Amino acid sequence: MTPALWSCLVLVLLSGLAASGFPRSPFRPLRKRSLPEGVVDSTEVYSTKISCKVTSRFAHNVVTTRAVNRAEKAKEVSFDVELPKTAFITNFTLTIDGVTYPGTVKEKEVAKKQYEKAVSQGKTAGLVKASGRKLEKFTVSVNVAAGSKVTFELTYEELLKRHKGKYKMYLKVQPKQLVKHFEIEADIFEPQGISMLDAEASFITNDLLGSALTKSFSGKKGRVSFKPSLEQQRSCPTCTDSLLNGDFTITYDVNRESPANVQIVNGYFVHFFAPQGLPSVPKNVVFVIDTSGSMHGQKIQQTRDALLKILEDMKKEDYLNFILFSGYVTNWKDSLVQATPENLQEARTFVRNIQSSGMTNINDGLLRGISMLNKAREEHTVPERSTSIIIMLTDGDANVGESRPEKIQENVRNAIRDKFPLYNLGFGNNLNYNFLESMALENHGLARRIYEDADADLQLQGFYEEVANPLLTSVETEYPENAVLDLTQSSYQHFYDGSEIVVAGRLLDEDLNSFKADVKGHGAINDLTFTEEVDMKEMEKALKEQDYIFGNYIERLWAYLTIEQLLEKRKNAYGEEKENLRARALDLSLKYHFVTPLTSMVVTKPEDNEDQTAIADKPGEGGHREWRPELGGLLPGPWALANYQPPQTPYYYVDGDPHFIIQVAEKDDAICFNIDEDPGTVLCLIQDPVTGLTVNGKIIGDKIASPDSQTRKTYFGKLGIANAQMDLRIEVTTEKIIVWNGAVQSTFSWLDTVTVTQDGLSVTINRKKNMAVSFGDGITFVVVLHQMWKKHPVHHDFLGFYVVDSHRMSAQTHGLLGQFFHPFDFKVSDIHPGSDPTKPVATMVVKNHQLTVTRGSQKDYREDAGIGTKVVCWFVHNNGQGLIDGTHTDYIVPSLF
């Protein structure tokens, strides 16, 4: 199946204060023309160009921005581009006053070492992070001297996937100021010929769009140009604010006189296949639905709504059933039933009555559904020429019955035995998405995250529409024997209407006179073979369109597709096979200069008269990375922590009274809350049953206790960090650090500067400042020591606890901090002045709760335990009620260990 993935790009240009992340006040009136045209905070972005060249679905995109600092002193200028998760960055250059600083792609381990050297100087920045559903954000900033000019140029490439009969480039444009020369230019070359081409913008009226937009296509070429003038960019006739803030979308498709098309350039070929006009193959669908207690409320209602809509689209030739799982498993019918009007009406009644409660038994739910499909086929109760599909929806992890992910995966694999695909839909972020994806991929399906939002039901419907109309099953592509090598995936269980199969490879003999490609598959009525023959000389003549073709585009398309598929295979490989797949993908990534999960782009930029190093990394699903830039992926020495800079990626901490701070990556914002409990209370901060890690904190109070719980101050005076798998405990107090390895005890003082290492553990103590605890690559905590004047009449010394890397912790992690390690979403609206004019009040919707929150700030003390760095956040009142799961008293535990 071809996934529904669009080409997306979001361009955001920030300068000066805008780069600090503080939003413009909703109460401030629109600015009049008191500043020169296109100048914001003395920085003028005078040119922005997005150049897209698409050749045979392969998109080569270059984003170029030019700015000048018109101030009398140096200013920081930032460049933000949001690009598709499916894209690979291939180049970035920074040019200041004619001097160019290029990016270089290196193996991640090599880049990591270079990065660690920069970390030791406290001069680093991670450049790429996850952003929303389909995007990754590339950000770089640089100080520009007075009167100097800077040019940013980012290049990325991707293969456009066909979705519902069209290729789509989705560009979200946000320049943040008027730009004298703003242009989007897309040139499209398709050897099959372009059948339709359209472009539209959500942020501008059709009248204005018409004069700024030109689009045309003829034969093989298409062109879209969007050049709004300064007047057309204004949000109102007398405003200096830009209205360019929204979606710019380009869609197109190609002629399909033949179901297939083969293109050959410089010894590489690509084979596109998308037949039309075939009848749909009848399908047997089992929906396996999670109805556990965590699905309660909006999620189960949206699931019901989506299933009702899906039932409307079922064809009478189809067969279906519903399996519901919570702590136990139930089904609508004992076997699959045909989608007759009577059965569909009964199914609607069943769906409307689906309720949620109990635990999560994924294993038994899936095995019941698989068994039902296997039985239907064995007993011939479904049409012979039909295809089977199983679709599972869950919002959490298995916690009853067989709950080990690897065992569930084994059970499912043995039950399906390559007979039909499994599609896993993960609802929200509180689940092990890697497990769902791995299980789906090894059973010829895919996983899709369903985001907890108002449109979740539409997301579910949209996924079903992709698989609703299989036109062929058991699809195989065949080429002349001993004529090709290094083929990408060449067999597919299904071809779905509106999608496209793409196969690429290398020719052994570039001097062939002709080339033949066959596609075989089972249709609804008979078996079909589609043949495409290519005359090599005619092909060479037809592709001499050098104005539109960039470089060896088919070779780069082949490399892109090969890397993508090798990385997918690697997710379910082990041992030597896994290492071989990694090595092949890495070699191609380096050869073709792609930033993939195995490589990083090292960007060097001038900063304070010396070069500064930064890393462009590729995040994984949900923002998890194979290594994290904050600490270079490894625990730094004491010199690094002393100069440690707050990371750009998500982090979580508790410090002060005790203030809990949760940074939400997708929002570039933070949420904070306090916990008010009596001194002596021990709270669970982190608990991960998979890794065996637990972190608890004991509360202390001031020397003179306040009788008023509203005014009393409490802090963490002790922390207990335990790893059950290692039989390890670390007790951190304001005087000392005690490490137990089983029964063996080691004691250290805060007056020490020492690093302790053993297999899977590293502890670094920085005299009177902080300590870092790292459990291998992927779990790192920092404890900050706050020392008071010993004769202070009120305050004691206390501790702050910071999680700077948690991506190796499991999806089952919980606790006051741990529950937020999984990405989640929130929405803030109705911002208005509060009783304190410096602290606006707003309405927040989070975890299906509507809360009143206040804009405030806390401090991040990792860099300086005395002064701290201000962190702006939305404060949730009443001990985090509505934000944290359950109530805060649920997190009280009897002791540190």
Side-chain angles (χ1 to χ4, degrees):
M1 171 186 173
T2 304
L5 295 172
W6 298 346
S7 174
C8 317
L9 175 144
V10 180
L11 174 68
V12 185
L13 302 170
L14 305 175
S15 61
L17 289 177
S20 66
F22 290 90
R24 182 165 63 89
S25 167
F27 313 115
R28 195 174 75 188
L30 291 169
R31 291 172 287 143
K32 305 301 181 184
R33 298 189 195 180
S34 58
L35 292 172
E37 292 293 314
V39 179
V40 175
D41 192 40
S42 303
T43 301
E44 179 188 0
V45 176
Y46 60 88
S47 173
T48 292
K49 183 174 182 180
I50 306 170
S51 175
C52 309
K53 290 189 180 295
V54 182
T55 304
S56 298
R57 291 72 145 171
F58 196 64
H60 175 88
N61 304 298
V62 182
V63 184
T64 307
T65 290
R66 305 178 195 277
V68 60
N69 178 13
R70 300 204 180 279
E72 295 180 357
K73 60 181 181 179
K75 286 280 184 181
E76 184 178 75
V77 179
S78 291
F79 172 74
D80 288 5
V81 177
E82 296 197 30
L83 62 152
K85 291 180 179 178
T86 51
F88 293 154
I89 292 172
T90 63
N91 195 30
F92 173 74
T93 59
L94 177 68
T95 304
I96 301 176
D97 287 340
V99 180
T100 298
Y101 300 86
T104 57
V105 174
K106 299 185 177 184
E107 182 181 358
K108 186 157 289 187
E109 294 301 317
V110 175
K112 191 188 298 186
K113 291 176 183 176
Q114 184 169 345
Y115 190 80
E116 286 164 11
K117 183 178 179 182
V119 169
S120 70
Q121 303 162 354
K123 291 181 173 291
T124 61
L127 299 186
V128 186
K129 63 179 179 179
S131 176
R133 298 182 182 181
K134 300 175 182 293
L135 303 174
E136 294 168 354
K137 181 184 285 187
F138 175 95
T139 302
V140 68
S141 60
V142 65
N143 278 325
V144 179
S148 292
K149 293 183 177 180
V150 59
T151 299
F152 303 94
E153 185 174 281
L154 178 74
T155 305
Y156 69 90
E157 295 177 345
E158 71 161 335
L159 177 65
L160 305 182
K161 310 285 177 75
R162 191 165 182 253
H163 172 62
K164 296 184 179 179
K166 295 178 183 177
Y167 308 97
K168 181 171 286 194
M169 286 189 287
Y170 168 78
L171 305 131
K172 190 168 184 179
V173 184
Q174 296 174 308
K176 299 291 186 183
Q177 61 176 277
L178 300 179
V179 180
K180 188 179 295 184
H181 302 290
F182 183 92
E183 180 179 8
I184 297 174
E185 190 177 75
D187 289 313
I188 302 169
F189 176 76
E190 288 289 352
Q192 289 171 264
I194 297 173
S195 63
M196 64 81 59
L197 173 65
D198 197 11
E200 58 184 17
S202 66
F203 49 82
I204 194 169
T205 65
N206 288 334
D207 291 341
L208 289 175
L209 182 65
S211 57
L213 173 71
T214 59
K215 54 186 178 182
S216 63
F217 70 95
S218 176
K220 301 173 183 177
K221 299 178 181 179
R223 184 177 178 83
V224 173
S225 177
F226 178 58
K227 295 182 182 179
S229 66
L230 282 172
E231 297 306 315
Q232 290 170 323
Q233 293 177 42
R234 298 185 195 282
S235 57
C236 73
T238 59
C239 296
T240 57
D241 286 42
S242 174
L243 60 70
L244 301 187
N245 185 1
D247 303 338
F248 187 85
T249 308
I250 300 171
T251 54
Y252 78 92
D253 199 16
V254 301
N255 293 320
R256 301 192 187 275
E257 296 171 0
S258 168
N261 177 258
V262 176
Q263 296 165 34
I264 303 171
V265 176
N266 296 334
Y268 288 83
F269 78 90
V270 61
H271 181 190
F272 299 106
F273 178 71
Q276 298 183 117
L278 297 176
S280 294
V281 175
K283 60 185 180 298
N284 317 309
V285 188
V286 172
F287 299 94
V288 180
I289 307 297
D290 182 349
T291 60
S292 62
S294 58
M295 287 285 290
H296 179 72
Q298 186 181 23
K299 283 193 280 192
I300 201 69
Q301 182 58 52
Q302 290 175 321
T303 301
R304 287 193 290 258
D305 292 343
L307 291 175
L308 289 171
K309 183 65 175 67
I310 287 169
L311 286 172
E312 292 179 17
D313 297 334
M314 297 290 288
K315 298 177 175 62
K316 64 179 181 180
E317 298 85 9
D318 295 338
Y319 283 70
L320 77 154
N321 206 345
F322 294 100
I323 307 293
L324 309 182
F325 67 90
S326 54
Y328 50 91
V329 179
T330 60
N331 37 269
W332 171 45
K333 298 288 186 181
D334 291 334
S335 59
L336 275 76
V337 298
Q338 191 172 355
T340 62
E342 298 78 16
N343 284 336
L344 289 177
Q345 187 55 43
E346 189 179 341
R348 291 186 191 98
T349 302
F350 175 80
V351 167
R352 290 190 186 101
N353 289 307
I354 292 176
Q355 301 296 324
S356 58
S357 68
M359 306 289 277
T360 307
N361 192 338
I362 291 176
N363 183 76
D364 290 359
L366 274 175
L367 293 183
R368 176 83 61 91
I370 295 166
S371 173
M372 199 169 284
L373 286 171
N374 285 335
K375 185 178 180 183
R377 181 67 73 190
E378 291 164 4
E379 297 181 355
H380 306 287
T381 56
V382 293
E384 190 65 31
R385 280 193 174 271
S386 64
T387 188
S388 298
I389 299 171
I390 187 163
I391 300 174
M392 181 185 71
L393 170 70
T394 182
D395 76 332
D397 297 327
N399 54 24
V400 68
E402 180 55 73
S403 59
R404 293 169 295 172
E406 65 281 0
K407 187 61 179 177
I408 296 173
Q409 200 166 332
E410 179 187 340
N411 293 343
V412 168
R413 180 175 61 248
N414 291 338
I416 291 181
R417 295 192 179 280
D418 296 326
K419 293 191 287 288
F420 47 81
L422 165 67
Y423 297 109
N424 287 331
L425 306 181
F427 206 144
N429 293 306
N430 294 320
L431 44 75
N432 185 345
Y433 186 85
N434 290 338
F435 158 61
L436 296 182
E437 182 180 46
S438 177
M439 183 163 59
L441 287 173
E442 73 170 349
N443 290 291
H444 307 287
L446 58 82
R448 181 75 51 79
R449 193 184 294 280
I450 303 299
Y451 292 84
E452 289 187 56
D453 215 332
D455 69 342
D457 54 337
L458 299 179
Q459 296 175 57
L460 289 166
Q461 292 169 36
F463 171 79
Y464 177 75
E465 288 169 5
E466 294 177 47
V467 300
N469 294 299
L471 301 185
L472 293 170
T473 64
S474 302
V475 182
E476 299 280 347
T477 59
E478 296 180 357
Y479 306 99
E481 193 173 352
N482 299 322
V484 299
L485 72 164
D486 295 335
L487 274 181
T488 61
Q489 183 178 343
S490 58
S491 62
Y492 293 82
Q493 280 207 339
H494 292 100
F495 170 75
Y496 294 102
D497 191 23
S499 66
E500 183 174 60
I501 288 174
V502 182
V503 181
R506 291 201 292 146
L507 298 181
L508 274 171
D509 182 3
E510 294 186 35
D511 297 324
L512 288 171
N513 293 320
S514 63
F515 182 80
K516 188 175 99 168
D518 290 331
V519 182
K520 298 180 179 180
H522 303 312
I525 301 168
N526 44 32
D527 294 346
L528 301 165
T529 300
F530 302 87
T531 299
E532 184 79 3
E533 290 204 49
V534 179
D535 184 299
M536 301 292 279
K537 290 184 179 178
E538 289 295 320
M539 170 70 65
E540 186 178 347
K541 195 183 301 180
L543 292 179
K544 286 185 176 177
E545 305 276 357
Q546 292 304 317
D547 289 344
Y548 272 65
I549 295 177
F550 60 92
N552 297 329
Y553 74 98
I554 289 184
E555 181 179 349
R556 294 190 68 82
L557 184 158
W558 165 81
Y560 172 97
L561 204 54
T562 301
I563 293 168
E564 190 179 62
Q565 293 175 0
L566 287 171
L567 292 174
E568 279 199 352
K569 287 181 183 176
R570 182 170 168 258
K571 291 174 182 176
N572 281 306
Y574 300 94
E576 186 177 347
E577 181 191 3
K578 189 182 188 79
E579 184 52 39
N580 289 339
L581 292 169
R582 177 191 177 280
R584 288 171 58 197
L586 174 60
D587 286 346
L588 289 173
S589 300
L590 293 172
K591 179 178 179 180
Y592 293 96
H593 214 251
F594 286 140
V595 177
T596 71
L598 303 178
T599 55
S600 299
M601 180 172 287
V602 179
V603 178
T604 303
K605 59 178 183 172
E607 203 72 38
D608 298 331
N609 299 318
E610 58 181 298
D611 289 346
Q612 177 183 8
T613 300
I615 294 293
D617 233 354
K618 188 160 189 67
E621 170 64 36
H624 295 298
R625 302 170 188 238
E626 294 208 357
W627 66 287
R628 294 284 287 255
E630 297 98 83
L631 297 178
L634 296 174
L635 182 72
W639 33 263
L641 279 170
N643 297 294
Y644 181 69
Q645 300 292 323
Q648 301 298 311
T649 44
Y651 60 96
Y652 323 87
Y653 68 90
V654 55
D655 210 334
D657 179 25
H659 307 300
F660 289 78
I661 315 293
I662 312 300
Q663 195 228 3
V664 182
E666 291 82 0
K667 298 290 187 181
D668 282 329
D669 207 345
I671 299 177
C672 48
F673 61 95
N674 292 350
I675 296 294
D676 296 318
E677 267 299 335
D678 295 330
T681 303
V682 180
L683 296 173
C684 176
L685 305 181
I686 300 170
Q687 184 178 37
D688 182 359
V690 176
T691 63
L693 275 171
T694 302
V695 180
N696 296 327
K698 187 174 184 178
I699 291 176
I700 60 171
D702 282 336
K703 294 176 181 177
I704 303 174
S706 170
D708 183 0
S709 63
Q710 298 298 315
T711 61
R712 73 180 178 190
K713 300 289 185 182
T714 55
Y715 314 87
F716 280 116
K718 285 185 179 182
L719 293 168
I721 303 170
N723 186 322
Q725 294 181 2
M726 298 175 65
D727 194 14
L728 173 87
R729 291 178 296 153
I730 304 172
E731 181 178 322
V732 185
T733 73
T734 56
E735 290 88 28
K736 58 187 176 182
I737 298 100
I738 307 172
V739 180
W740 285 279
N741 280 281
V744 179
Q745 176 181 321
S746 303
T747 302
F748 305 94
S749 164
W750 277 108
L751 296 175
D752 295 328
T753 295
V754 62
T755 298
V756 180
T757 60
Q758 65 183 66
D759 286 345
L761 172 71
S762 183
V763 178
T764 298
I765 303 170
N766 295 308
R767 176 184 168 88
K768 293 185 177 182
K769 289 182 178 179
N770 52 40
M771 67 172 285
V773 182
S774 179
F775 294 96
D777 177 9
I779 302 174
T780 299
F781 309 134
V782 172
V783 179
V784 172
L785 173 66
H786 294 271
Q787 289 188 309
M788 303 291 110
W789 176 43
K790 292 302 179 187
K791 296 183 180 179
H792 196 290
V794 178
H795 299 313
H796 288 292
D797 295 349
F798 63 94
L799 303 172
F801 178 76
Y802 294 76
V803 181
V804 294
D805 195 349
S806 61
H807 78 277
R808 293 296 186 198
M809 301 194 75
S810 82
Q812 297 182 39
T813 306
H814 212 264
L816 283 168
L817 286 176
Q819 64 187 287
F820 299 105
F821 293 174
H822 329 293
F824 71 102
D825 197 11
F826 68 90
K827 286 188 176 179
V828 175
S829 60
D830 187 27
I831 303 174
H832 58 276
S835 56
D836 181 343
T838 66
K839 296 180 178 180
V841 174
T843 299
M844 175 184 288
V845 176
V846 59
K847 293 187 177 180
N848 296 326
H849 295 112
Q850 183 170 300
L851 311 173
T852 298
V853 294
T854 304
R855 196 62 165 169
S857 65
Q858 302 295 344
K859 291 289 189 75
D860 179 338
Y861 291 102
R862 281 168 299 168
E863 187 176 355
D864 188 324
I867 301 172
T869 302
K870 185 177 179 180
V871 177
V872 179
C873 59
W874 289 106
F875 182 75
V876 178
H877 303 270
N878 302 322
N879 291 302
Q881 186 172 342
L883 171 67
I884 64 173
D885 297 334
T887 65
H888 79 280
T889 55
D890 296 336
Y891 300 87
I892 296 176
V893 293
S895 63
L896 278 180
F897 300 110

